[in-house]
Amino acid sequence: AAPFLPSALDLLGRIDDFIEELESGIHYREPEWGDDDRDDYPFDDEVWVDAWDELLAEARQACLKGNWELGAAAYEKLLHAFALQDDEDVFGEEVCPEHALESDLTEATLLYLRGVYETLPASSRAESVLAAMEELYLHPAEATLAALQATGPEALEGFQEFVGDLASLLESRGPEAPSGWDGYRDWLPEALGLSRGEKGLRDFLIRSGFRHIQACREHLRQTFGEQAWKQALDTARAAAKVLEDPREKAEMLDAAAYAAAQAGLRAESADFRHAIWRLEPGEFHLLAWLGSCPPGTWQESLAEELGELPTLQERFPTAGSELWALLRDPWSDLADRLAKAQRPQTWDRGMRR
């Protein structure tokens, strides 16, 4: 890489000075609060907030002007500085810098990754961009591969090759982080979908035994968008059978119920909603199940369910006394509630990352 011009060195030098100033704790002030003033802000003048925002804005301008090398170098320093919020001598426990700044940190992350992408040959982009993301302290959920492709003033060249290489790299590595950001969990499904399409994503799900919840969600997004209800139903049903986390299992059952309903399989849809009710007892799921039953059959279905009431109460003692009271004497106002209940019109549990 060519040496930085004096103006670029000035920006990077000012960033280094700012971070050194933060690390020294010069802006931190011990809160002097009593019982009545615990909302006192423990920082002096908030000058560090404005300074950080201004430096991020300069890094942004460098990227938007096509100076990706300078932008990436500046963003790398500024984004890694967020790790200082774990140092109580710098920020204490009262303030999170990411919430104090006005800068768009998702955009900052994407511009940084685009800078890394733009300054490297195609053969090393996947590994380097992945490493850059993994090393960051903050990992905004909106920092997706599609968002990366759309970031910056010009189109991203070589993107299809990049996501193909990234998918192969992540699949070969497997899961790595039990918590926090993990490329296998958070980027692999999208990389597979972008590079190999619905079939490639489905093939991966089969190889992984439908245990990759994010890949299941990505496949469902694609098949729902294409109104490919049978493919969606097959994925959701298979995932619901093997996933052990109750919330994830309920999410896949919910998707299966919606797909079955759209495919005209009303009885099967009702079976899925009954399984959700059994997994997560609550009035909403009860009404969703009964409302999905074939016409004129909900009373018979509920009568059979009442025989299981003691077992359900024992399994879910905290589900709510109002729910159990409703089930003990269901015929009084359940029909009225059922008539007024909102039916699930879309599948949205897994559509939010």
Side-chain angles (χ1 to χ4, degrees):
F4 284 119
L5 295 174
S7 59
L9 291 173
D10 173 67
L11 171 58
L12 298 177
R14 285 186 286 117
I15 292 173
D16 287 337
D17 291 343
F18 170 70
I19 294 174
E20 185 177 344
E21 190 175 274
L22 282 181
E23 291 173 334
S24 73
I26 192 173
H27 296 297
Y28 183 74
R29 183 182 70 223
E30 283 289 341
E32 298 176 357
W33 51 45
D35 292 336
D36 299 326
D37 56 357
R38 292 187 179 275
D39 291 332
D40 283 2
Y41 196 66
F43 281 84
D44 185 23
D45 299 330
E46 303 182 20
V47 294
W48 62 275
V49 176
D50 292 337
W52 209 334
D53 275 328
E54 289 168 5
L55 291 168
L56 284 166
E58 289 189 59
R60 180 177 184 272
Q61 282 303 309
C63 290
L64 295 182
K65 290 178 180 178
N67 193 344
W68 292 109
E69 189 171 2
L70 173 59
Y75 269 133
E76 181 178 16
K77 294 173 180 289
L78 292 166
L79 292 175
H80 279 271
F82 281 96
L84 291 173
Q85 72 183 33
D86 287 340
D87 188 337
E88 294 185 4
D89 294 330
V90 176
F91 292 111
E93 299 179 355
E94 289 77 21
V95 173
C96 281
E98 61 186 287
H99 299 144
L101 270 60
E102 294 185 2
S103 299
D104 184 339
L105 297 180
T106 295
E107 182 192 44
T109 300
L110 291 168
L111 285 171
Y112 167 56
L113 296 177
R114 168 101 188 226
V116 174
Y117 183 106
E118 292 282 2
T119 53
L120 292 170
S123 60
S124 59
R125 281 173 178 163
E127 188 171 356
S128 297
V129 170
L130 177 61
M133 183 66 167
E134 288 175 332
E135 291 168 4
L136 289 176
Y137 182 84
L138 302 177
H139 303 97
E142 295 80 9
T144 63
L145 297 172
L148 175 61
Q149 184 183 24
T151 297
E154 299 177 353
L156 198 60
E157 295 184 5
F159 184 74
Q160 284 302 119
E161 180 183 354
F162 164 71
V163 290
D165 291 345
L166 184 61
S168 298
L169 173 62
L170 288 170
E171 189 172 359
S172 67
R173 281 177 30 170
E176 295 194 347
S179 61
W181 193 85
D182 178 7
Y184 180 84
R185 181 189 64 236
D186 299 314
W187 267 4
L188 175 58
E190 189 182 11
L192 286 167
L194 289 170
S195 62
R196 305 178 195 174
E198 182 271 329
K199 184 179 184 303
L201 195 52
R202 173 75 182 182
D203 290 343
F204 168 74
L205 284 172
I206 293 172
R207 292 195 301 275
S208 63
F210 293 88
R211 297 182 183 278
H212 194 303
I213 183 63
Q214 292 288 60
C216 292
R217 289 168 179 157
E218 186 66 28
H219 188 255
L220 290 169
R221 285 187 188 91
Q222 291 194 11
T223 51
F224 281 4
E226 298 166 1
Q227 298 187 1
W229 307 121
K230 184 181 184 303
Q231 292 93 317
L233 176 57
D234 289 345
T235 291
R237 183 196 289 116
K241 287 181 179 178
V242 299
L243 291 172
E244 297 179 359
D245 182 274
R247 291 182 179 275
E248 293 177 353
K249 183 182 289 288
E251 180 182 326
M252 291 299 105
L253 288 169
D254 189 39
Y258 178 67
Q262 295 300 309
L265 304 173
R266 182 159 187 173
E268 192 167 354
S269 179
D271 288 342
F272 288 126
R273 298 224 172 272
H274 179 236
I276 299 172
W277 146 251
R278 282 296 189 93
L279 194 63
E280 298 181 341
E283 184 174 330
F284 175 83
H285 294 317
L286 173 65
L287 296 178
W289 163 49
L290 296 176
S292 67
C293 292
T297 64
W298 72 265
Q299 294 93 337
E300 180 181 351
S301 297
L302 181 59
E304 294 177 2
E305 192 72 4
L306 290 177
E308 301 291 332
L309 183 57
T311 302
L312 285 172
Q313 281 185 276
E314 184 177 341
R315 284 179 56 202
F316 301 99
T318 62
S321 57
E322 184 179 343
L323 174 65
W324 306 130
L326 174 66
L327 285 172
R328 287 192 196 95
D329 188 19
W331 313 112
S332 56
D333 64 344
L334 188 57
D336 184 57
R337 293 196 193 195
L338 191 57
K340 296 177 181 178
Q342 289 186 331
R343 302 284 185 272
Q345 298 297 319
T346 60
W347 177 67
D348 64 356
R349 294 177 63 143
M351 302 301 280
R352 299 184 294 273
R353 287 183 183 269

